[in-house]
Amino acid sequence: MGTYIIRRVLQMIPVLIGATFLIFVMVFALPGDPTDGKCGERPCSPAYIAEFKKEYNLNDNVFLRYAKYTGIWPTEQGGLLQGNLGKNYNGYKVVDDLKERYPTTAKLALVAIVFEVVIGIAAGVLTGVRKGGFLDNLVLVSTLVVISIPIFVIGALGQYFLGVKAGLFPVTVGSNPSFYELLLPGMVLGSLSIAYVSRLTRTNLVENLRADYVRTAIAKGLTRRRAVGVHALRNSLIPVVTFVGYDFGGLLGGAIVTERIFNIQGVGNYIYRGILNRDGMAVVGAVTVLVFVYLVVNLIVDLLYGVLDPRISHD
Amino acid sequence: MTTTTTRAAKKAVPESRYVPEDGLLLDVEDLHVEFHTADGIAKAINGVSFQLRQGETLAILGESGSGKSVTAQAIMGILDMPPAVIPEGKIRYCGQDLLTMDPEVRRKTRGPEISMIFQDALSSLNPVFPVGWQIAEMFRQHRELNKSDAMNEAVRLMERVQIPAARERVKAYPHQFSGGMRQRIMIAMAIALDPAVLIADEPTTALDVTVQAQIMALLEELQEERKMGLILITHDLGVVADVADRIAVMYAGRLVETADILPLYASPAHPYTRGLLESIPRLDQKGQTLAAIGGLPPNLMRIPQGCAFNPRCRMAQDICRQDRPELREIVSGRFSACHFAEEVIDA
Ligand SMILES: Nc1ncnc2c1ncn2[C@@H]1O[C@H](COP(=O)(O)OP(=O)(O)O)[C@@H](O)[C@H]1O
Ligand code: SF4
Ligand SMILES: [Mg+2]
């Protein structure tokens, strides 16, 4: 177990380096000049541009810049390895920007996950125990519909009907939003995964209901409720929990589309605006953190899998 | 020691309402089971009757597919219905018909009154719960014992079925045990509430020979200790010969011969039984067609007219293709469903 964790953590290093390098190269390959629009209506003065380029190492080639950014090439302020995410092109520290926005993204992810788990598993169980019934077909059709509609359409529809028309939820979300404000966006964000979770739960439950150990549970004189709800469900939820865990890791990476639609000031929106403004430092910094979070969550999920399924050993 | 504690635990709840009359525990009468599938109706059980008494060991013998497990599952009440349908028959336990009993009342008989162990202990135990937990669940659900008392009972049962270091292994998972130890755990679970009837459906088929013998010895010991009625299902006569009192031979969902074990061994009264005895089971062809009989069991959707065995029977005559032979007493205590049973028994 201990060696497994160490191995996994060591494996993260090349993944992190590779991922940040790729995003670094791509972001700085974007056309456009980061100093555009920095000085109001007029173009910036050559002196300002020179200073700006020096400040952000824009005169170096991409490898040297990456080396300086990561801190492999020593600089006085230090790089990633020293825990420094650098400054964005407005001169603010990226780490402060993220500190401000990350709680919102995490909250949104949490709301989406709760929806996914509660509604997805409930739908999966209800349809799994009554395979082929009316509810089963209803859920099957609605999950197909949800899966086939792009999220920006679901978002826009949800915003219009539930927000504008019915007035049940706020249409947009302020900074530092409450959980209530995030309900609608969370539902939209989780809608696709609700569909997957319910299908996954149903499929696994139907399969496990036929398992020998469920027959044993009935033969033990347990109620059907217990045989299904404890014995079959416990096994059926192993892949579901794993899926939800990975999904949570992904959602913590921000949801650009959903955050845009509801104007949520989260990490997704931050990255979006970073790309628009050619703010390479903001984008690379944010993505690096997200990749790291994703890897950590993945590791936790894999460890959890071993706890949920005693047959898996992490030796 | 095990028995005393189990008995003591039982005292806490109202005494069971099931009292066998003259030692008669189970009385199965004209049982029919069908499976209604998309392809048609498979008639798996076609009029099976037998009785089981206290302290008696009844072996049910037959090829794979003859309906042994379906019979056991019908008695246990664990058939999936649908597709299974029981159009006819009675299964009386201590005089009460299980088939017409209130489902909730019947559920409570599973475990304390009638219990079952299965062929494949690995798949029959839940892979994600510790074995002790699974045994303790019997006490938690039926006796409402608290966690630690139930766990102590589980340890005692594991000791009773001779699992080494039971107290240390009570938290281990099924996959951490050998096949024989897993089957012992199944047995511990099945006898936990001191049932009057224990059904063992091919309990040793998945095990190697030396372990088979140990498991059979354990079952025999427990049966004597607790005066259980034991139904031993097998396709391998060799396994049960030492243990069983009576044998019922099954073919295409009917009993074709029932007898005490020794006379049946000495001179079978049905051509099918004789075929089974002649085909000495060999390890390398477990579950395969029995060489001495030849052919295959019938398709249960189209069971042959007359005697179901007639396409495979060397003695078959015209009458065998028209009239179905009923189970009848040939000599005292010996029943056979063959038109020529007297000739077979004398041969
Ligand atoms: N769920 C089911 N659906 C359809 N047919 C079944 C089902 N269960 C058992 N059967 C049929 O009933 C017959 C008897 O099966 P079984 O009692 O398991 O035989 P065995 O004597 O080997 O234990 C078999 O032919 C099998 O195909
Ligand atoms: S009744 Fe006829 S076919 Fe059937 S077992 Fe006897 S002899 Fe064979
Ligand atoms: Mg069977």
Side-chain angles (χ1 to χ4, degrees), chain B residues 296-333:
Chain B
L296 289 168
N299 180 341
L300 296 177
M301 296 193 191
R302 281 179 288 112
I303 295 176
Q305 263 217 313
C307 173
F309 187 57
N310 82 65
R312 301 169 76 185
C313 181
R314 269 174 278 168
M315 294 176 61
Q317 306 290 322
D318 281 347
I319 184 179
C320 304
R321 287 178 273 273
Q322 284 147 22
D323 292 349
R324 187 170 75 179
E326 298 299 321
L327 202 61
R328 62 198 167 90
E329 195 158 17
I330 310 301
V331 287
S332 167

Side-chain angles (χ1 to χ4, degrees), chain B residues 68-69 119 201-202 233:
Chain B
K68 306 180 299 287
S69 297
Q119 174 175 335
D201 189 355
E202 313 224 16
I233 293 175

Side-chain angles (χ1 to χ4, degrees), chain A residues 212-213 215-216 218-223 226 230-231 234-235 238 308-311, chain B residues 76 78 107 110 118 123-129 134 137-138 141-142 173 175 189:
Chain A
D212 286 350
Y213 61 78
R215 185 188 59 189
T216 306
I218 300 286
K220 285 166 86 175
L222 306 181
T223 58
R226 188 171 169 89
V230 174
H231 286 266
R234 173 65 176 69
N235 282 273
I238 295 171
L308 291 176
D309 189 342
R311 287 162 296 183
Chain B
M76 258 338 268
I78 55 172
R107 172 180 73 75
R110 291 182 202 121
F118 300 93
S123 65
S124 298
L125 290 165
N126 195 324
V128 300
F129 294 117
Q134 297 189 53
E137 193 181 25
M138 298 296 276
Q141 296 300 313
H142 288 275
Y173 291 90
H175 72 275
M189 202 158 76

Side-chain angles (χ1 to χ4, degrees), chain B residues 33-37 40 42-45 60-73 79-80 82-84 119 201-202 233-235 250 252-253 297-301:
Chain B
V33 181
E34 298 171 349
F35 289 97
H36 291 213
T37 67
K43 300 196 166 188
I45 307 295
I60 300 183
L61 178 72
E63 281 166 289
S64 164
S66 55
K68 306 180 299 287
S69 297
V70 172
T71 304
Q73 287 166 14
L79 282 170
D80 281 327
Q119 174 175 335
D201 189 355
E202 313 224 16
I233 293 175
T234 182
H235 66 261
M250 197 161 203
N299 180 341
L300 296 177
M301 296 193 191

Side-chain angles (χ1 to χ4, degrees), chain A residues 62-267:
Chain A
V62 71
F63 294 101
L64 184 56
R65 258 155 61 197
Y66 180 70
K68 285 180 176 172
Y69 179 72
T70 53
I72 296 170
W73 184 283
T75 52
E76 54 194 278
Q77 72 272 27
L80 269 187
L81 292 175
Q82 287 78 37
N84 186 356
L85 287 173
K87 286 179 182 166
N88 69 18
Y89 288 171
N90 293 324
Y92 297 110
K93 283 173 136 183
V94 172
V95 70
D96 291 339
D97 287 350
L98 290 178
K99 264 188 204 153
E100 203 180 303
R101 289 169 172 81
Y102 217 104
T104 303
T105 290
K107 254 188 194 172
L108 180 63
L110 204 64
V111 173
I113 285 293
V114 169
F115 266 109
E116 216 176 294
V117 167
V118 173
I119 299 179
I121 292 180
V125 170
L126 289 176
T127 55
V129 293
R130 278 187 207 276
K131 189 168 52 122
F134 170 74
L135 194 65
D136 192 15
N137 287 310
L138 183 75
V139 171
L140 175 63
V141 171
S142 37
T143 51
L144 282 178
V145 169
V146 168
I147 288 173
S148 56
I149 300 179
I151 191 154
F152 62 86
V153 176
I154 297 179
L157 289 176
Q159 190 177 38
Y160 181 71
F161 286 106
L162 298 175
V164 178
K165 280 275 176 179
L168 292 173
F169 303 99
V171 176
T172 57
V173 174
S175 59
N176 228 332
S178 65
F179 277 108
Y180 172 68
E181 285 177 285
L182 290 173
L183 274 183
L184 181 59
M187 253 192 281
V188 170
L189 184 58
S191 59
L192 185 65
S193 297
I194 287 179
Y196 282 123
V197 167
S198 71
R199 301 309 293 165
L200 197 61
T201 307
R202 180 191 178 281
T203 311
N204 278 289
L205 186 59
V206 166
E207 194 180 306
N208 280 302
L209 283 176
R210 281 200 302 261
D212 286 350
Y213 61 78
V214 173
R215 185 188 59 189
T216 306
I218 300 286
K220 285 166 86 175
L222 306 181
T223 58
R224 183 171 158 75
R225 198 193 170 87
R226 188 171 169 89
V228 174
V230 174
H231 286 266
L233 195 58
R234 173 65 176 69
N235 282 273
S236 308
L237 287 183
I238 295 171
V240 177
V241 170
T242 312
F243 172 85
V244 170
Y246 291 144
D247 201 37
F248 188 57
L251 291 179
L252 283 178
I256 293 187
V257 177
T258 307
E259 290 189 4
R260 289 287 307 149
I261 295 172
F262 293 95
N263 195 32
I264 299 168
Q265 299 308 313
V267 180

